[in-house]
Amino acid sequence: MFSKGVLPFAKILLLGISFLAIVFKLLVAPNIALAITPTQEQLAKFRQLPKSEKERLAKLAGIDLKTFSSTQSNFTSQPQENKIDEQRAQPEPKMLEPPVTHPLEEGNGTEALSDQDNRDAELLPFGYELFSNPISSFEALSQVPVPIEYVLGPGDTLNVQLFGQLNEYYELTVNREGQIQLPESGPVPVSGMKFEDAKELLKKQIKEKSIGVEVSISLGRLRSVQIFVIGDVEKPGAYTVSALSTMMNALLLSGGVKKIGSMRNIQLKRNSKHIATLDLYDLLLSGDASNDRRLLSGDIIFVPTVKESISIKGEVNRPAIYELKGNTTIGDALAMAGGMTPYAYPKLSSIERFNTKHRREVDTRDLSSPKSLSRSVSAGDIITIGKMSDHVTKAIHVEGSVLRPGIFEWREGIRVGDILQNITDFIDINADLNYSLIVREINPKRDIEVLNFDLGNAILHPASEKNPTLKPNDRILVFDRYEPRDVLLAPIIKQLKSQTKAGENTQLVKIEGGVNYPGAYPLPRNYRINDLLTASGGMIDNQEGPDFGIVVRPINIAGDIETLYIDLTKSVFEPQSGENILLQPQDKLIILTNNPPIRDEKIIEFESALESSYENRMNPTRQNQIRSNQIGQNSLGTPPTRLISEKNSSEPDTPSEYSRNSLIEPILNQLSRQARRDNPLSIVEIKGEVKFPGRYPLANGLTLTNLIKASGGLTESAYLLRAEINRMQLSQEGADIEHLTVSLEAALKHDEKNTNEITLNPRDVVSISKMPEWEENRAIEIAGEVTFPGSYEIHKGETLSQVIKRAGGITSYAYLKGAVFTRNQLRENEQQRLSELKSRLDADIAAALLKDSQDSPSGTKHALAEAKVLLERLNKIEPEGRLVIDLDSVVKDPKHNDIVLLSGDKLFIPQLKQSVSVIGEVQFPTSHLYDQALDIENYIERSGGTTPKADVARIYIVKANGSVILPNINNQWFWQQRENIEPGDTVVVPLDSERFNTITVWSDLSQIFYQLALGAAALNSF
């Protein structure tokens, strides 16, 4: 059978074409050879199609599907599939329970259903499947031996073989007078005689006439008889059948009994007399065909309508609707249904029937007693046989990551190690040997409690207390190290929640943050912090110091909470310390990790594709399992860390499930809601040089040291000699802020008797200062024509000439006039100015468009179009942050011209330039080989001259060092001084800004655009 879901269109199309070809070949042109001949595989695929799809294709072809079904037996040797087999849902084996199976009932060719849901499905009348495979003729009956009691009649043929003194062969047919013409003996009457008697008569007569002749007589072609099949049959009418045919043969030929026809009262009438009654139940249930009479010409087979029936369902081998005949007891009815299954519970059986007021009532009976079985049934009764409970008593159930899960015998004193005897033969290789559970029923209501144990110790130390003693019906759960635990824990958590009484806390605890498997866990007795960490797969790898934990504990039914800070290092490595506290119901442990997992984009991409592909086809639990299996384990053998693509704004590289903000924010919200005048807001804040600054809940007795640990610890740049605590003091007059200066060095001493430890108050704000003169990475970069280019660390106040000297000095190929010096601060300023001008330009364009809609001169439209193009070009330009310097002066006279360096500065010293560039509004912007004999006009002419859009009055030169020489319109020195053009210079022909009168910001934008473009050109020129 095809799996559930929509068949792919291509497969349906292929099967549809094959189906049409089959129909045409069989029903339209059976003698025409087709180019497309259906194969057995195609026929098998068509038979496997759902019924609705078969009907759709048949309707498309205009063919009766029943006709096709009856015809396909002519060209395939494979038997037609049983309808019940097609419709039967395959039962899925239940974990820890043996599959329920029942034998194949050969009486009617149907298999008893093994699944309880199928037993309770709609019942079918019993026995009618006998006629599911119709036949067309009984020609094969002529080849079977003729019984000795066969009665001869007109039309029968006798084959007479004479041998000995006389060798002759005769085919003698019984004529209408009932005689045969025996040569040399005359007519011999045989009609009405049994074949055996007629055979002896003929032998006697022939031997009397011919001495020394032996005789062999056999029946040849048999006569045909005409009979009538009427009543509730599929194809009532007159039929011509072989004289050997019986009532059953005729019923099969007529298509069988209808669903409303009687299977137990089929009548044979001859000459208006009732001759026999055929009960097909005798044939189907016990193989008795003694009442299947042979037919004579003119016989009538009449099938009446069913009168009375009952339904039997539940735990019987053959649930169905059965026809009643005479007085039938409950025992008789169950016998027709094949008896009860081994899983039947007859003491809990019910009989539904109509009372005298025609209302249905239910009678529950114990059908295990003979007295109940002897009671008679009535028409319309529905008998339901109950099923035994699936609950196994005095057994041990083993589930999870084991090699032999299942049900094991319980005996007094049995322990875990007696069932799971060793690790090699009983435990899966991926099993978590540190954390397993025993789920135990504690009362007749089947409430449960949970016990945790160390499976590895239980197996390795079988005689110790580490190997728990088991009680009847205990369940042992063994977890996988590399798969989420919610699959096995979900039913336990559900049960614990359902058995919790009003006003009580559910016996559950939660863990979130930096552990491998966060979530809810059952709370056993004497459960501590280290136990919960073990249950959750342990903390994720942390290479930056110990993690810190916060326990959030409910304190009343109103939902108010309190918080406790936990040193997880002591909880794990010093389990007897006070940090390893006992957990209470509904406690939540939050792990604040200092080393969250690195985001792996490939895994995130895989998770995204998996979720989108299987969104409606797989449940979330199974998706988590597949995702964990695909990710696998890392090189250290630790479980794969779960990743979420959502980022936290304050911790951009941390997945949200590990972010302090996302973990602590719900706690802070609850503390804010429960704050009152007599219950101050229990929140403190830490700022400055800690790894995770922000707001944190205030636990009772929270010290400055613990707050620093909770915030990830101090950064490398933290100043230990001084910190400040801003504390709010409340009084009747109002609130005042007190500033406390403390020494971090004294407060952080690891001395248990440290008297300098500072306890924090509600709303305290702690500020950790940065070390004076601290800078994370103070370096500059020198590239190009120096002896040792590269990155150089600098100290505060160091100058450019000093670093050049450290770099080995400049080379002989250096072109100092073309040096490019960039600074991060200038780049940021340029970016800010660009953003402002872009916004102004957008506003000017919008205003110009509005004006253009009122009066639309063509020139304005053209100017707006060019402005939009220029804006797009401007968006692609990145600011360089260039600072114009005279490097030659710096090198020659550093005392007066030196430059103080800042971190991030970059210096590029190119080789000697031999070109002059011309850009802007010229016909062919390009670079030209430097020629001392050429002036500006010559270079512009070599670039094709200016365009009509050029602003000739504002042509300027950008020198190789980035400085700009602007034209002076009042005198002509600009055009006359050829020495102003030097190698590496760029001639700029700007765009006429007067063409953009509607755009007020154009002049500023044009200037900045060309400056940035030329800065980029200068950097790219070497």
Side-chain angles (χ1 to χ4, degrees), residues 404-588:
R404 294 176 176 85
I407 304 175
F408 296 84
E409 176 191 7
W410 176 85
R411 60 182 183 274
E412 192 68 37
I414 190 172
R415 297 189 177 192
V416 171
D418 298 328
I419 297 177
L420 304 175
Q421 300 174 5
N422 61 70
I423 295 175
T424 304
D425 298 331
F426 291 86
I427 308 301
D428 186 84
I429 190 173
N430 292 329
D432 187 345
L433 299 179
N434 298 318
Y435 175 67
S436 297
L437 293 181
I438 296 175
V439 182
R440 177 168 294 167
E441 296 180 359
I442 57 177
N443 55 38
K445 297 189 297 182
R446 294 186 177 176
D447 291 342
I448 63 172
E449 68 173 354
V450 180
L451 296 83
N452 68 306
F453 67 98
D454 187 313
L455 178 59
N457 286 330
I459 296 175
L460 297 177
H461 306 284
S464 67
E465 295 180 353
K466 299 177 181 179
N467 187 16
T469 302
L470 299 174
K471 293 186 177 181
N473 301 321
D474 277 356
R475 291 171 55 204
I476 301 175
L477 304 184
V478 180
F479 296 90
D480 192 299
R481 284 181 295 171
Y482 306 121
E483 291 192 5
R485 298 179 176 193
D486 50 359
V487 176
L488 290 176
L489 290 178
I492 302 173
I493 294 174
K494 182 179 180 181
Q495 173 66 20
L496 290 172
K497 290 181 178 180
S498 65
Q499 70 187 41
T500 302
K501 298 179 181 178
E504 294 181 352
N505 287 326
T506 305
Q507 297 294 312
L508 295 174
V509 290
K510 292 182 180 180
I511 185 168
E512 297 178 358
V515 292
N516 286 297
Y517 300 114
Y521 287 84
L523 177 64
R525 299 175 184 174
N526 300 320
Y527 209 55
R528 296 181 178 270
I529 294 291
N530 63 337
D531 297 322
L532 182 56
L533 290 173
T534 301
S536 59
M539 292 181 287
I540 60 176
D541 293 337
N542 189 357
Q543 302 173 357
E544 297 186 10
D547 291 335
F548 212 73
I550 301 177
V551 173
V552 182
R553 176 169 292 171
I555 56 177
N556 54 41
I557 59 175
D560 293 345
I561 61 173
E562 67 176 0
T563 56
L564 306 171
Y565 280 77
I566 304 295
D567 187 334
L568 297 178
T569 302
K570 291 185 178 180
S571 298
V572 174
F573 297 105
E574 301 176 22
Q576 303 303 322
S577 69
E579 298 293 328
N580 192 27
I581 64 173
L582 277 173
L583 294 174
Q584 299 180 10
Q586 295 300 313
D587 277 358
K588 180 166 66 173

Side-chain angles (χ1 to χ4, degrees), residues 45 81 114 159 180 341 477 492 521 657 754 811 956:
K45 288 183 177 179
E81 293 183 3
S114 60
N159 297 330
I180 59 171
T341 70
L477 304 184
I492 302 173
Y521 287 84
E657 59 187 309
N754 185 9
T811 68
Y956 57 92

Side-chain angles (χ1 to χ4, degrees), residues 41-324:
E41 183 181 359
Q42 290 173 332
L43 294 176
K45 288 183 177 179
F46 176 76
R47 285 195 297 270
Q48 292 173 345
L49 280 173
K51 183 179 178 182
S52 60
E53 191 61 30
K54 289 180 181 178
E55 293 175 349
R56 189 186 70 80
L57 292 174
K59 184 177 180 181
L60 183 64
I63 299 301
D64 185 0
L65 192 58
K66 294 182 179 179
T67 304
F68 171 71
S69 299
S70 63
T71 310
Q72 63 178 330
S73 60
N74 295 330
F75 54 86
T76 178
S77 60
Q78 299 181 5
Q80 182 180 358
E81 293 183 3
N82 191 298
K83 291 182 179 179
I84 291 183
D85 291 339
E86 290 181 354
Q87 297 173 356
R88 184 185 300 114
Q90 295 295 332
E92 296 182 0
K94 297 181 179 179
M95 187 175 183
L96 305 179
E97 295 293 339
V100 182
T101 57
H102 300 280
L104 182 68
E105 180 60 41
E106 298 179 358
N108 64 348
T110 61
E111 185 177 354
L113 301 176
S114 60
D115 189 91
Q116 183 62 37
D117 292 338
N118 289 337
R119 295 179 184 280
D120 295 338
E122 181 180 358
L123 297 177
L124 299 175
F126 172 72
Y128 293 89
E129 295 83 6
L130 179 64
F131 306 105
S132 60
N133 294 319
I135 59 176
S136 57
S137 66
F138 290 96
E139 294 180 359
L141 292 176
S142 62
Q143 307 298 326
V144 300
V146 178
I148 58 176
E149 69 272 9
Y150 179 74
V151 179
L152 296 175
D156 287 336
T157 300
L158 297 176
N159 297 330
V160 180
Q161 175 71 49
L162 305 179
F163 56 94
Q165 294 292 333
L166 182 63
N167 291 322
E168 297 288 346
Y169 177 78
Y170 304 102
E171 289 185 359
L172 307 177
T173 302
V174 181
N175 58 26
R176 293 184 179 181
E177 286 75 21
Q179 302 171 344
I180 59 171
Q181 297 295 329
L182 187 63
E184 300 180 0
S185 296
V188 179
V190 294
S191 180
M193 295 179 64
K194 293 183 178 180
F195 169 64
E196 189 67 24
D197 295 339
K199 182 178 178 181
E200 293 299 326
L201 175 62
L202 293 177
K203 283 184 178 181
K204 181 179 180 181
Q205 290 190 7
I206 292 174
K207 288 184 177 182
E208 290 177 353
K209 299 289 184 179
S210 303
I211 300 173
V213 176
E214 296 295 329
V215 182
S216 174
I217 302 174
S218 63
L219 269 173
R221 185 173 61 255
L222 301 181
R223 72 182 185 274
S224 297
V225 297
Q226 187 180 49
I227 55 96
F228 297 90
V229 183
I230 58 177
D232 289 314
V233 293
E234 294 293 341
K235 300 175 183 178
Y239 292 88
T240 300
V241 298
S242 168
L244 292 177
S245 299
T246 63
M247 297 172 66
M248 189 65 195
N249 299 140
L251 289 173
L252 290 171
L253 185 62
S254 66
V257 180
K258 289 183 178 180
K259 295 294 175 58
I260 62 172
S262 172
M263 294 280 286
R264 309 197 65 180
N265 188 26
I266 302 173
Q267 303 170 13
L268 174 62
K269 297 184 178 182
R270 183 177 297 158
N271 298 326
S272 300
K273 295 182 180 180
H274 185 275
I275 302 300
T277 299
L278 177 62
D279 187 346
L280 290 181
Y281 277 24
D282 294 338
L283 174 64
L284 295 173
L285 298 177
S286 59
D288 182 6
S290 58
N291 291 326
D292 188 13
R293 297 294 184 89
R294 201 172 307 281
L295 300 176
L296 299 180
S297 182
D299 282 357
I300 298 175
I301 298 176
F302 175 68
V303 180
T305 305
V306 175
K307 298 299 182 183
E308 297 179 340
S309 64
I310 61 171
S311 299
I312 305 178
K313 61 181 182 178
E315 288 301 316
V316 292
N317 287 305
R318 196 166 39 239
I321 300 173
Y322 291 91
E323 182 180 353
L324 296 179

